[in-house]
Amino acid sequence: MKEMIRPIEWKEGKLYILNQLKLPMETEYNIKATVEDVFNAIRDMELRGAPLIGIAAAYGVYLSVKDESFVSHEDFMKFVDEKALYLSQSRPTAVNLFWALDRMKKRAKELENLLIEDKKKALLEEAIKIHKEDEAINRSIGENFLKILKDGMTIMTHCNAGSLATSRYGTATSPMYLAREKGWSFKVFANETRPYLQGARLTAFELHHGGIDVTLICDNMAGSLMAQGKVDAIITGADRVAANGDTANKIGTLQLAVMAKHYGVPFYVAVPTPTIDLSTPTGIEIPIEERGSHEVTNWFGKATAPEGIKVYNPAFDVTAHSLITAIVTEKGIVYPPYNENLKKLFLNI
Ligand SMILES: CSC[C@H]1O[C@H](OP(=O)(O)O)[C@H](O)[C@@H]1O
């Protein structure tokens, strides 16, 4: 199997980001040298995907201090807090962004007795740790999925929760890559995922690159395939799972889950534990990002709607916990009742 495409790399003291806006036609890596570069890359979706956003933001915190001088630890902490707050305003829904920023701030606080240059080095080490841990998390999610999936299944997925949304195997795609490593043969339906086409531009691209049997479909074809009994399971990623299991994910996920319930298709959410936000009680409290109208009225440069037309463009929707068969994490498979069982993931037992 070909090496997976890496959306982010820390190499020779520089942060390289794959510009996902250019995929699938061009594979262009750009160096991000400042915290502003990272903010813009997240906001403009040059990089996207909940776990990847968190990893990039962690490097962004390091880049913010890299060339600065500080007169005291308080001065250092004030600066780190300011830059973390700045980065937190890049996109509102993926909780991994806030999780990673909180972790970098916590690490910074612990560095009181270090010299400034050693503080900086420790922050870079923390960002690299977050990056590397994600790779292990991806693999564990895949391994847990393979306990409930079977060779030969046909799986539908939505948006991109793949290697282009994480450090390596992806979350929803992790079982697909691991199954291939085991010699299993999953077939995958990738929903194109309007308006930003993460499914067509990214998931179809990366799975095809990885030698996986993937078929691209328009979002409005999903129900028909389920009605024909051609879908054995649906697996999506998530941007934030609330304490009761309500899950925010790419717009279009909710309707997939409703149809899956109707047709008796198991609906799984692939979730690294940093995506679970126990401080958010239900899906109602999850902030849903609304993006610009151009993403709906233009097809990557070509107008497909009347000039000035009103547009509603929420980037995410919330799938009620009652529609989710199981939430598969790196720590294990969580079944309902989610308000009880999600908590157990965080008990150090
Ligand atoms: C591995 S979770 C990725 C998650 O993020 C995507 O959103 P976006 O492309 O806008 O960052 C989508 O909701 C995926 O499921």
Side-chain angles (χ1 to χ4, degrees):
M1 196 164 85
K2 281 186 200 163
E3 174 60 17
M4 263 148 245
I5 303 153
R6 303 270 182 163
I8 188 169
E9 289 205 82
W10 181 262
K11 206 166 50 177
E12 293 142 19
K14 290 186 171 60
L15 180 64
Y16 291 83
I17 297 284
L18 174 62
N19 183 351
Q20 298 192 27
L21 293 171
K22 299 272 181 92
L23 290 177
M25 309 321 281
E26 281 176 66
T27 303
E28 174 193 288
Y29 284 87
N30 300 306
I31 291 172
K32 301 299 174 185
T34 67
V35 64
E36 291 76 15
D37 288 348
V38 173
F39 176 95
N40 292 337
I42 294 171
R43 179 200 59 195
D44 300 341
M45 294 178 71
E46 261 190 65
L47 70 96
R48 29 60 55 203
L52 183 59
I53 289 170
I55 296 165
Y59 283 118
V61 172
Y62 165 68
L63 290 172
S64 75
V65 303
K66 176 170 168 286
D67 300 323
E68 294 294 324
S69 53
F70 302 97
V71 296
S72 67
H73 184 67
E74 289 65 31
D75 184 29
F76 173 76
M77 278 312 304
K78 182 168 175 293
F79 189 85
V80 167
D81 286 343
E82 265 168 29
K83 297 306 176 185
L85 177 63
Y86 166 66
L87 283 164
S88 74
Q89 292 157 353
S90 53
R91 289 186 75 187
T93 304
V95 71
N96 309 62
L97 171 62
F98 310 98
W99 170 84
L101 293 172
D102 287 346
R103 181 162 157 180
M104 292 300 285
K105 288 190 291 185
K106 179 171 175 289
R107 184 70 186 112
K109 278 199 189 85
E110 296 164 353
L111 307 173
E112 183 159 7
N113 300 323
L114 295 188
L115 298 173
I116 288 297
E117 287 313 307
D118 293 334
K119 291 181 200 276
K120 295 177 183 180
K121 191 165 163 291
L123 278 189
L124 173 58
E125 285 165 359
E126 191 68 8
I128 292 169
K129 241 176 103 185
I130 289 171
H131 187 177
K132 293 301 163 211
E133 281 170 7
D134 183 71
E135 195 163 322
I137 287 173
N138 291 177
R139 196 170 178 94
S140 301
I141 290 173
E143 282 159 0
N144 282 327
F145 261 114
L146 294 190
K147 294 172 186 166
I148 52 178
L149 301 174
K150 289 189 183 58
D151 184 8
M153 272 186 154
T154 298
I155 296 168
M156 179 178 286
T157 191
H158 190 70
C159 195
N160 175 256
S163 58
L164 292 168
T166 63
S167 58
R168 187 149 187 226
Y169 291 92
T171 57
T173 60
S174 181
M176 300 168 192
Y177 290 121
L178 294 194
R180 178 153 165 67
E181 281 180 10
K182 274 168 70 91
W184 286 16
S185 60
F186 283 158
K187 290 185 178 4
V188 179
F189 284 117
N191 298 352
E192 67 173 357
T193 317
R194 275 199 46 82
Y196 223 65
L197 302 180
Q198 288 94 328
R201 295 188 304 110
L202 308 178
T203 302
F205 171 71
E206 70 163 82
L207 291 181
H208 186 65
H209 171 85
I212 288 168
D213 180 343
V214 57
T215 301
L216 175 62
I217 63 167
C218 297
D219 302 326
N220 54 15
M221 299 170 186
S224 163
L225 282 166
M226 287 188 242
Q228 297 172 61
K230 291 186 174 171
V231 180
D232 298 313
I234 297 175
I235 305 178
T236 74
D239 292 81
R240 189 181 310 216
V241 177
N244 73 339
D246 290 349
T247 295
N249 194 52
K250 185 52 52 202
I251 188 75
T253 303
L254 171 59
Q255 61 195 37
L256 269 188
V258 170
M259 290 190 285
K261 194 84 172 178
H262 177 77
Y263 290 110
V265 175
F267 186 90
Y268 299 113
V269 179
V271 177
T273 48
T275 308
I276 299 170
D277 177 10
L278 297 181
S279 68
T280 297
T282 72
I284 296 167
E285 292 87 18
I286 299 176
I288 298 297
E289 176 185 23
E290 286 202 35
R291 294 186 64 86
S293 59
H294 67 284
E295 291 177 3
V296 177
T297 59
N298 285 267
W299 200 287
F300 289 82
K302 184 164 173 27
T304 54
E307 181 74 29
I309 189 75
K310 274 201 293 183
V311 169
Y312 173 54
N313 182 20
F316 302 96
D317 56 25
V318 175
T319 297
H321 59 81
S322 56
L323 296 171
I324 300 171
T325 308
I327 295 174
V328 182
T329 78
E330 75 279 13
K331 293 185 179 177
I333 302 168
V334 183
Y335 291 98
Y338 294 121
N339 53 353
E340 287 170 31
N341 293 334
L342 285 173
K343 290 192 195 101
K344 292 175 186 164
L345 292 172
F346 299 89
L347 301 174
N348 295 324
I349 42 180

